[in-house]
Amino acid sequence: MIVDTTLTFAARRNVPVRYNRDHIETTLKAMERVSEIRAKRERAFYKKRMAGNKERQREADRKLVAENEHLLPRQRASERMALEEMDEERVTVPVLVEKRKQKLKQRLLVGGGVEEMDVD
C-alpha cells in the first residue's frame, strides 16, 4: 500500500486556492470518494495478503500433530471396532425419499361454492 494514487491527491491539499463555493463542494465530494476508494483498496490488499493463511495454518497444524502424535490419547480396540461398525451402518442405510405434501388453496366463487387450487 505504499504506492497509491489516492496519497498524491491528499498531498495536494496544502496548495492555496481562492475560495469558490462550487470548488469546495466538489473537493469535499472528491475527498469522500477518495476515502472510499482507499478503504476498498486496503480491504483488497488485506484479503490478497491473507489468502493462503488457512491452508498454511492447516499444514502447520498437521505437522504439529504428526510430530507430537505420541501425546495424543490412543483408541482402544473396542472403540476402534465400534467406530468402524458405525461407519458401516452409515453406508448401508438407504436414503428415504420424503413425499412432498401438495398444498391446496381454496377460493370462494362469486356465485357461491368453493374451488380448490394447487399451490407450488
Side-chain angles (χ1 to χ4, degrees):
M1 286 301 305
I2 294 173
V3 180
D4 195 359
T5 55
T6 59
L7 298 174
T8 59
F9 177 80
R12 290 185 6 209
R13 72 179 182 268
N14 291 327
V15 177
V17 177
R18 185 173 179 190
Y19 178 77
N20 183 352
R21 183 180 201 149
D22 297 329
H23 187 264
I24 297 296
E25 183 180 342
T26 56
T27 302
L28 291 175
K29 286 182 182 177
M31 288 170 61
E32 289 176 14
R33 181 70 178 133
V34 165
S35 64
E36 289 173 7
I37 291 170
R38 184 178 296 151
K40 183 179 177 183
R41 287 181 182 174
E42 286 175 0
R43 281 193 306 271
F45 179 75
Y46 179 80
K47 284 184 179 180
K48 185 177 179 183
R49 192 167 45 110
M50 298 295 161
N53 272 2
K54 279 189 178 177
E55 290 105 24
R56 277 185 249 137
Q57 184 63 38
R58 189 171 292 138
E59 286 299 318
D61 292 342
R62 286 185 179 147
K63 182 179 177 184
L64 182 69
V65 169
E67 289 174 356
N68 300 311
E69 194 171 358
H70 63 280
L71 298 175
L72 294 174
R74 292 197 174 126
Q75 281 187 338
R76 296 185 192 121
S78 59
E79 291 175 349
R80 224 178 295 135
M81 295 291 286
L83 187 62
E84 289 175 4
E85 288 176 8
M86 288 178 64
D87 287 340
E88 289 175 3
E89 289 177 7
R90 285 187 192 154
V91 173
T92 58
V93 173
V95 178
L96 300 176
V97 179
E98 295 181 22
K99 290 185 179 180
R100 195 176 100 194
K101 293 184 180 179
Q102 196 173 31
K103 294 183 179 181
L104 296 176
K105 184 176 181 180
Q106 294 181 348
R107 182 171 73 176
L108 295 174
L109 298 175
V110 176
V114 177
E115 179 184 2
E116 293 184 357
M117 301 180 299
D118 293 334
V119 179
D120 292 326

